[in-house]
Amino acid sequence: MGDDPGLFTPNSVTWQMHGDPMMWIAGVRALYLQALHPRAVRGVMQNSDFRRDAWGRLMRTANFVGTTTYGTTEAAERAGARVRKIHSMLTATDPDTGERYGVDEPGLLLWVHCAEIDSYLHVLRRSGFPLTDAQADRYTAEHRVSARLVGLDPQTVPASRAELAAYFDRVRPELAAGPEARAVDDFLLHPPTHPLLIPAREVLWRRVAQLAYAALPPYAHQLYGRPAPAPAVVTRRLRATGALLRRVPARVRWQLPPKHILRAMARLGPEARPAPYKVGR
């Protein structure tokens, strides 16, 4: 292997998990969950035209995850510095109190981080990606690294599933489906698209959004006010979707820009190829 395997390295659970195609559905679930924190989602909505730039935001998040997972140490640190700089310049205003606050408040950064890690773990495991409880804990602990990159003190970040669950128990009283969350929900169900692509949106994207929504915890369904199928039905759909997407050859999936995994394999050698069976090594 080359000299710089990056921050996570091919020996990490993260390296293997993040090459799975269900990460895309997990990312949409994370958006739904993140939108339920009024202060956090307000920071997004007041600093960008979400409906015009939501795809760009999703792709920037995917690029950040890919860079920090599979890029060199220098590339990952540079990506983190860029995120911290952008966040340091942004503020939001509470419409009820008039309070102006920075979007880089540690509590807001922690919410975004935990919603992502919980979503990645939940969707991949429930869709059939093989992870033991110990490996899931290891994955959670590994992401104290990504938390540091966005400006958090790693010691304040959950490092196990139990700590993650305790965090969500503490923060739940702060959650609500306010106007901003409703706007995110509406966008995810009806994203703007060319008129000729509306049928494809209804057939393909709507199913992705509905599955991501269904995979949310019950309290999120209650807050949004929309029911979800029974848990057993959701699990079957996640497993069926995972099985279908995983039939697409990895080399084909990884050709999508910006090709983080292929570049990592070119840098480190073919043995760096991520695969579920390597998690337990």
Side-chain angles (χ1 to χ4, degrees), residues 230-249:
V233 174
V234 177
T235 299
R236 285 199 301 271
R237 291 178 182 174
L238 285 167
R239 292 185 73 88
T241 303
L244 177 64
L245 293 179
R246 290 167 189 140
R247 287 196 185 102
V248 179

Side-chain angles (χ1 to χ4, degrees), residues 220-233:
H221 299 146
Q222 293 171 5
L223 289 173
Y224 275 114
R226 285 198 290 115
V233 174

Side-chain angles (χ1 to χ4, degrees), residues 84-169:
R84 294 194 303 274
K85 181 177 179 181
I86 292 171
H87 286 171
S88 71
M89 297 185 293
L90 302 179
T91 61
T93 301
D94 186 321
D96 296 323
T97 66
E99 175 198 5
R100 195 157 189 83
Y101 58 91
V103 302
D104 60 352
E105 283 186 353
L108 304 185
L109 296 177
L110 184 60
W111 167 252
V112 171
H113 171 85
C114 290
E116 288 179 355
I117 299 308
D118 180 75
S119 293
Y120 299 157
L121 266 179
H122 182 88
V123 169
L124 264 68
R125 295 189 83 188
R126 200 171 173 187
S127 67
F129 191 94
L131 276 185
T132 65
D133 288 346
Q135 290 160 355
D137 283 342
R138 181 178 160 197
Y139 174 81
T140 307
E142 287 173 358
H143 278 275
R144 284 185 161 183
V145 171
S146 59
R148 174 185 64 78
L149 289 176
V150 299
L152 285 164
D153 176 355
Q155 296 305 310
T156 67
V157 178
S160 69
R161 291 172 304 113
E163 292 180 9
L164 195 59
Y167 166 78
F168 281 110
D169 285 343

Side-chain angles (χ1 to χ4, degrees), residues 21-38:
M22 290 297 285
M23 284 286 290
W24 288 100
I25 291 176
V28 177
R29 180 192 189 266
L31 288 177
Y32 270 118
L33 194 54
Q34 289 165 350
L36 290 175
H37 194 299

Side-chain angles (χ1 to χ4, degrees), residues 1-280:
M1 281 196 178
D3 294 334
D4 184 9
L7 293 178
F8 287 99
T9 84
N11 296 321
S12 66
V13 177
T14 296
W15 190 279
Q16 316 311 331
M17 273 184 57
H18 286 186
D20 191 84
M22 290 297 285
M23 284 286 290
W24 288 100
I25 291 176
V28 177
R29 180 192 189 266
L31 288 177
Y32 270 118
L33 194 54
Q34 289 165 350
L36 290 175
H37 194 299
R39 287 173 71 87
V41 71
R42 197 176 293 132
V44 174
M45 303 299 276
Q46 292 185 12
N47 285 285
S48 66
D49 188 340
F50 182 83
R51 292 193 65 85
R52 289 178 180 270
D53 191 45
W55 297 120
R57 178 178 173 79
L58 186 61
M59 292 306 299
R60 286 192 295 274
T61 299
N63 187 51
F64 179 79
V65 172
T67 299
T68 56
T69 303
Y70 300 110
T72 63
T73 300
E74 179 185 1
E77 295 289 355
R78 191 165 57 242
R82 185 162 56 248
V83 167
R84 294 194 303 274
K85 181 177 179 181
I86 292 171
H87 286 171
S88 71
M89 297 185 293
L90 302 179
T91 61
T93 301
D94 186 321
D96 296 323
T97 66
E99 175 198 5
R100 195 157 189 83
Y101 58 91
V103 302
D104 60 352
E105 283 186 353
L108 304 185
L109 296 177
L110 184 60
W111 167 252
V112 171
H113 171 85
C114 290
E116 288 179 355
I117 299 308
D118 180 75
S119 293
Y120 299 157
L121 266 179
H122 182 88
V123 169
L124 264 68
R125 295 189 83 188
R126 200 171 173 187
S127 67
F129 191 94
L131 276 185
T132 65
D133 288 346
Q135 290 160 355
D137 283 342
R138 181 178 160 197
Y139 174 81
T140 307
E142 287 173 358
H143 278 275
R144 284 185 161 183
V145 171
S146 59
R148 174 185 64 78
L149 289 176
V150 299
L152 285 164
D153 176 355
Q155 296 305 310
T156 67
V157 178
S160 69
R161 291 172 304 113
E163 292 180 9
L164 195 59
Y167 166 78
F168 281 110
D169 285 343
R170 290 195 305 273
V171 80
R172 274 181 60 178
E174 302 174 33
L175 305 183
E180 294 89 354
R182 301 292 179 189
V184 171
D185 184 25
D186 180 66
F187 172 84
L188 290 174
L189 286 174
H190 309 97
T193 190
H194 190 282
L196 293 178
L197 296 178
I198 288 178
R201 180 189 70 183
E202 294 303 306
V203 171
L204 298 176
W205 174 256
R206 194 173 180 86
R207 292 185 180 182
V208 169
Q210 288 174 339
L211 185 56
Y213 177 85
L216 287 167
Y219 68 80
H221 299 146
Q222 293 171 5
L223 289 173
Y224 275 114
R226 285 198 290 115
V233 174
V234 177
T235 299
R236 285 199 301 271
R237 291 178 182 174
L238 285 167
R239 292 185 73 88
T241 303
L244 177 64
L245 293 179
R246 290 167 189 140
R247 287 196 185 102
V248 179
R251 280 278 185 173
V252 174
R253 292 190 273 107
W254 295 341
Q255 288 292 337
L256 293 173
K259 303 184 181 182
H260 292 294
I261 294 175
L262 294 180
R263 291 210 303 270
M265 291 169 60
R267 184 175 84 249
L268 302 173
E271 64 271 28
R273 176 190 177 96
Y277 71 86
K278 295 181 178 181
V279 170

